[in-house]
Amino acid sequence: MKRRLEPRWAIFISGRGSNLQTVLDGIDDINVIVVVSNSASAPGVAKARRMGVPVFLIGKKIDWDEVHFELKKRRVNRIFLAGFMRLIPGSFVEKWKDQILNVHPSLLPEFPGMNAIENSFGSSSDMGVTVHYVTAEMDAGEVLFQKVALTRNDLDKNKISLDEAKIEISRVEQFLVREAVYHG
Ligand code: GRF
């Protein structure tokens, strides 16, 4: 299939990069302009480089005006936060209104923020994944896709461990990230 020229994606990462890998697997159809990482040693950076995708490294103290300028220069018009562990300031979100998506490992609005998997595992709720628009308030924007990964019944009946739950969450994350970059 011929690569769609639009949208022009920037994928933001901080670590492992399993969600980034899902996007890169579709590189023939998806136009990934740049991978932005706040860590030079993130395995996702090596993955991107191996596939010839440009990487833009941002330091510990992020200059968000510079990030904005860099993305505009590359004519990026869509951002995916695929495991990006830093807070995005409101002024940046305002400039990219309705153009930033995030994947979060819980059924938002339940369990926003850090340790979402552990917190939902230890609750009486189902576990799942959400892809949502990013607003200045953390994990609070409009939901684009949401999918249950494990119902409480699955978890209890099959005595699923936290590690097993994490694997299932990761599988569902990758499915939804794919949905979002192809159709979002
Ligand atoms: C994912 O669980 C994502 O939802 C969360 O951070 C994790 C990153 O995983 N925000 P990866 O770097 O894509 O493997």
Side-chain angles (χ1 to χ4, degrees):
M1 198 197 284
K2 201 170 175 300
R3 180 187 290 191
R4 285 189 298 161
L5 296 177
E6 292 287 337
R8 295 172 64 82
W9 288 99
I11 315 293
F12 282 44
I13 60 161
S14 293
R16 185 174 58 155
S18 54
N19 290 308
L20 168 68
Q21 183 66 55
T22 295
V23 177
L24 295 179
D25 286 345
I27 198 85
D28 289 344
D29 308 326
I30 302 159
N31 205 0
V32 181
I33 302 301
V34 64
V35 168
V36 178
S37 174
N38 65 319
S39 161
S41 58
V45 166
K47 281 182 186 156
R49 290 204 169 118
R50 265 201 304 278
M51 296 191 70
V53 176
V55 172
F56 177 54
L57 292 175
I58 50 181
K60 263 209 164 92
K61 200 174 172 312
I62 301 172
D63 179 345
W64 285 100
D65 287 338
E66 189 196 357
V67 177
H68 175 73
F69 177 77
E70 189 64 36
L71 298 184
K72 283 290 174 194
K73 193 177 80 188
R74 295 171 191 260
R75 291 184 293 118
V76 164
N77 55 17
R78 211 65 70 84
I79 295 172
F80 205 107
L81 308 181
F84 185 65
M85 307 310 279
R86 297 290 297 271
L87 263 187
I88 312 266
S91 55
F92 185 90
V93 173
E94 211 33 61
K95 288 186 192 131
W96 292 85
K97 204 168 174 342
D98 301 330
Q99 292 174 289
I100 313 179
L101 296 178
N102 180 44
V103 60
H104 182 79
S106 80
L107 298 168
L108 290 172
E110 283 197 303
F111 313 110
M114 299 294 282
N115 305 319
I117 299 181
E118 288 77 2
N119 292 340
S120 55
F121 182 80
S123 75
S124 55
S125 304
D126 294 343
M127 298 183 73
V129 175
T130 305
V131 171
H132 65 95
Y133 287 99
V134 172
T135 56
E137 206 186 325
M138 192 176 53
D139 297 332
E142 187 195 332
V143 171
L144 182 60
F145 295 107
Q146 194 164 60
K147 191 170 163 53
V148 173
L150 291 160
T151 63
R152 197 35 58 181
N153 193 33
D154 291 335
L155 285 154
D156 293 346
K157 207 173 71 195
N158 302 312
K159 300 201 177 1
I160 307 245
S161 69
L162 177 59
D163 283 346
E164 288 167 332
K166 283 182 178 170
I167 291 168
E168 190 56 19
I169 290 284
S170 180
R171 201 183 60 75
V172 172
E173 275 190 345
Q174 290 171 40
F175 174 79
L176 284 196
V177 166
R178 208 172 306 128
E179 285 292 297
V181 287
Y182 277 93
H183 310 295

